[in-house]
Amino acid sequence: MANPVALSPGARAEALARLGEDELDVLVVGGGVVGAGSALDAATRGLRVGLVEARDWASGTSSRSSKLIHGGLRYLEMLDFRLVREALKERGLLLQVLAPHLVKPVSFLYPLRHRVWERPYVGAGVLLYDTMAAASGTASGLPRHRHLLRRQALREAPGLRADALTGAVQYWDAQVDDARHTLFLVRTAAAYGALVANRAQVSGFLRQGERVVGALVTDLETGRQTRVRAKQVINATGVWTDDTQAMAGTRGQFHVRASKGVHLLVPRDRINSRTGLILRTEKSVLFVIPWGRHWIIGTTDTDWSLDKAHPALSSEDVGYLLEHVNRVLATPLAAQDVEGVYAGLRPLLSGEAAETSKLSREHLVAHPVPGLVVVAGGKYTTYRVMAKDAVDEAARGLDEKVADCVTARVPLLGADGYPALWNARHSLAARSGLHVARIEHLLNRYGSLLPELLEPVAADPALAEPLPSSDDYLAVEAVYAVTHEGARHLEDVLARRTRISIESWDRGTDAARTVAALMAGPLGWDEAHRDRKVDHYLKRVAAEREAQQQPDDRTADAVRLGAPDIIPVR
């Protein structure tokens, strides 16, 4: 087990300095789940690795997914058995070995509407799903599916309309806080020796003739540029793949299209159910996913060609989701029930299909020019396989023999010791003075790294206070986000280190000033800079709320872009 490394402001500065010194074996561009997974894969093979991200860790698609770790039932219907089998194996590894502190089982109810043919059809699909999971050898811990009569289904989900179903099938998958999981990948890669830096943008590639031999990296906080030399560069920039490839003078053998997926959060008491729901739509499926004090409702699947950094959602998106979920609810949801929203962009490999829901979720790896590997496509659950394939391809361009991938056996930080701490949660609560429910919540966010938060709380009990209008999160978590998790800006804490921006009724505006004050010490902010950070965040929330009222993508995008982007330190 590697020793945890704090992603502090000082550690970031040191990493940027060291990136400019000795030549790396592999430089990974992109701090989403695939890039972070690639850095961890390469580092655990004994390679010299760098990882740079232009914005924040998981600031793109990897913090805006449906937060499911699943095989994908709808891919079975598309006869994509290989993708489903691969994803179910990865689901089991994440639940049992790699991240049991972050990945948890979740049940779903599939309402049946047709009396004769639908139960055997759906039942056969879910049976195959469970059978494929069992065959992978990683299915333990999840119950097998079960068939329910209508009255049994309504006991599980009393909030459903009785006339909306004739019965149901219930099955189990898994869920994760995607942003935290990606962050733990970054921290684990750093623990194994990777040099990692966020807010560090690749502004060009270094070339020797046709060969890519590194990248010019700009520190967006200071403007300082560093020439990072690397034997191989991995482009893992998701929906920005084509843009990054263009800097190398090539767009490669495939292209990536962005598909927008919109999600709504409504309070848990608005839908009376003990289980999640999966509903058929005209084009795909719709999930209603339990998420703490909320339900996540999503998602859409529409082409997106506007701003990739801040995909906006419109009133049309909100209306689409509410219309479809209300078809089965006894008490319909209204727009005012929606407390939080977010939109993410899926990187889909371009094909001939006109509908983005028919484009490929498979991933591809290519070596378009010597020294540059590109990996794109795929789905969140299979990030580790994508990372392995990308590093395998990079290894072919290295002179020395490279060890095989070992990440199927490398738990993320926080996983080792988690079960023992979970069993000791009552004594931890007694010693720390925190309620046992608070300890459980922290354990499921930090795992066995929990003592790193309890120590400062013991020294300063004020850090045990919950954040304003965000009772699930403590003041110490905002400080820890800066000192250990690489947070540089207010949005990093409110949107990704915590999920206050989507879980709080005010989207974090009430907590913003308190969190900024907690961040100010370790980041060296003066009062004027702190006020600018708060003002920027308030404008971001106002722009998102106004965009949500717009009728379509273009007007929503224009309104969202009215809010300024992150304020650099310089």
Side-chain angles (χ1 to χ4, degrees):
M1 175 183 171
N3 292 321
V5 172
L7 302 186
S8 65
R12 176 183 177 276
E14 181 184 354
L16 283 167
R18 291 179 60 193
L19 282 169
E21 294 173 357
D22 298 331
E23 183 183 40
L24 301 171
D25 293 315
V26 176
L27 172 65
V28 182
V29 182
V33 69
V34 177
S38 298
L40 175 59
D41 186 294
T44 52
R45 298 191 197 206
L47 299 176
R48 298 182 299 276
V49 181
L51 170 65
V52 292
E53 160 58 40
R55 297 190 296 153
D56 185 27
W57 308 121
S59 58
T61 306
S62 296
S63 60
R64 304 175 187 177
S65 73
S66 295
K67 315 201 186 307
L68 292 177
I69 298 294
H70 63 141
L73 263 182
R74 75 183 180 102
Y75 299 116
L76 270 188
E77 194 170 34
M78 297 162 66
L79 305 182
D80 198 341
F81 300 117
R82 192 198 64 78
L83 177 63
V84 175
R85 184 183 303 110
E86 183 177 82
L88 288 172
K89 179 181 177 181
E90 294 302 310
R91 181 190 73 179
L93 283 173
L94 285 161
L95 276 165
Q96 297 174 42
V97 179
L98 304 183
H101 54 313
L102 302 174
V103 180
K104 305 295 178 184
V106 60
S107 66
F108 288 100
L109 197 71
Y110 189 119
L112 303 172
R113 297 182 62 86
H114 305 281
R115 290 190 177 277
V116 179
W117 62 268
E118 193 175 18
R119 185 179 291 279
Y121 178 76
V122 173
V126 178
L127 174 61
L128 179 58
Y129 196 68
D130 282 350
T131 302
M132 291 171 74
S136 74
T138 62
S140 63
L142 286 182
R144 291 182 65 82
H145 74 281
R146 58 181 188 146
H147 286 263
L148 303 177
L149 301 174
R150 177 159 56 188
R151 67 175 183 275
Q152 294 171 311
L154 291 173
R155 279 201 294 268
E156 288 290 313
L160 292 178
R161 281 173 35 204
D163 62 352
L165 71 164
T166 60
V169 178
Q170 189 175 42
Y171 74 99
W172 276 257
D173 254 321
Q175 66 180 164
V176 69
D177 183 332
D178 47 6
R180 289 210 64 74
H181 172 253
T182 299
L183 173 67
F184 268 84
L185 284 170
V186 175
R187 288 196 66 186
T188 308
Y192 281 99
L195 301 174
V196 306
N198 55 351
R199 308 288 175 191
Q201 184 176 46
V202 168
S203 45
F205 289 111
L206 307 180
R207 306 291 284 262
Q208 281 184 359
E210 185 184 351
R211 185 176 189 83
V212 171
V213 294
L216 185 64
V217 175
T218 302
D219 179 354
L220 296 182
E221 303 284 274
T222 65
R224 188 177 299 116
Q225 291 191 323
T226 302
R227 292 171 64 85
V228 181
R229 293 176 297 119
K231 296 174 183 175
Q232 294 286 316
V233 176
I234 295 177
N235 173 11
T237 51
V239 293
W240 287 273
T241 296
D242 287 6
D243 304 281
T244 311
Q245 290 300 94
M247 287 194 290
T250 175
R251 293 188 66 188
Q253 298 101 317
F254 54 83
H255 306 299
V256 173
R257 277 175 59 185
S259 167
K260 185 176 74 166
V262 169
H263 302 80
L264 313 178
L265 277 82
V266 300
R268 198 67 177 266
D269 63 3
R270 296 299 193 274
I271 301 175
N272 185 7
S273 179
R274 298 186 299 185
T275 180
L277 305 173
I278 177 172
L279 310 172
R280 292 297 297 261
T281 67
E282 300 86 352
K283 297 179 181 179
S284 185
V285 295
L286 183 73
F287 287 101
V288 179
I289 307 162
W291 182 259
R293 302 171 190 256
H294 293 83
W295 297 99
I296 295 176
I297 301 172
T299 182
T300 58
D301 203 346
T302 55
D303 195 33
W304 180 263
S305 58
L306 303 170
D307 180 59
K308 294 173 185 166
H310 307 290
L313 63 127
S314 66
S315 61
E316 181 182 20
D317 295 320
V318 175
Y320 172 87
L321 291 175
L322 291 180
E323 176 196 347
H324 281 79
V325 75
N326 282 340
R327 291 176 184 177
V328 300
L329 296 181
T331 305
L333 298 172
Q336 55 265 34
D337 293 319
V338 177
E339 287 193 345
V341 299
Y342 66 94
L345 300 178
R346 303 178 192 86
L348 301 181
L349 300 175
S350 284
E352 298 301 319
E355 300 281 345
T356 60
S357 58
K358 296 178 183 176
L359 293 181
S360 177
R361 294 308 300 272
E362 297 279 357
H363 71 272
L364 289 177
V365 175
H367 225 136
V369 296
L372 180 64
V373 172
V374 58
V375 55
K379 59 201 293 280
Y380 194 101
T381 303
T382 57
Y383 79 90
R384 196 192 64 81
V385 178
M386 296 175 67
K388 172 189 176 298
D389 290 350
V391 177
D392 282 347
E393 184 64 31
R396 294 188 186 100
L398 298 176
D399 295 333
E400 65 273 19
K401 179 173 171 55
V402 176
D404 290 337
C405 173
V406 297
T407 52
R409 305 189 302 276
V410 178
L412 302 190
L413 292 181
D416 278 334
Y418 164 74
L421 285 178
W422 181 262
N423 291 341
R425 62 193 184 277
H426 292 282
S427 59
L428 284 170
R431 290 201 302 271
S432 66
L434 297 174
H435 192 279
V436 67
R438 185 77 70 187
I439 292 292
E440 290 175 353
H441 189 252
L442 292 170
L443 279 170
N444 288 332
R445 285 172 47 74
Y446 303 92
S448 57
L449 300 186
L450 175 63
E452 293 184 352
L453 288 95
L454 296 184
E455 288 172 14
V457 166
D460 181 2
L463 292 176
E465 292 297 316
L467 294 171
S469 301
S470 309
D471 289 349
D472 284 340
Y473 302 101
L474 304 182
V476 68
E477 296 184 75
V479 177
Y480 185 84
V482 176
T483 59
H484 287 71
E485 296 182 337
R488 304 285 302 170
H489 298 274
L490 190 53
E491 179 182 316
D492 299 346
V493 175
L494 293 174
R496 287 174 290 276
R497 304 307 183 277
T498 70
R499 308 320 290 267
I500 290 171
S501 68
I502 59 172
E503 294 174 350
S504 173
W505 64 270
D506 66 348
R507 304 192 185 180
T509 57
D510 194 26
R513 196 162 297 279
T514 299
V515 171
L518 291 164
M519 298 176 69
L523 286 171
W525 295 348
D526 59 23
E527 186 175 355
H529 190 77
R530 194 167 69 217
D531 289 344
R532 287 198 300 273
K533 291 289 185 184
V534 173
D535 181 63
H536 167 268
Y537 185 78
L538 298 182
K539 287 178 178 175
R540 169 203 144 146
V541 172
E544 287 179 349
R545 287 191 183 279
E546 187 178 351
Q548 196 179 320
Q549 305 304 315
Q550 303 308 307
D552 55 44
D553 282 350
R554 290 200 173 276
T555 52
D557 179 69
V559 168
R560 175 61 184 87
L561 290 179
D565 214 334
I566 289 290
I567 307 166
V569 171
R570 64 179 188 272

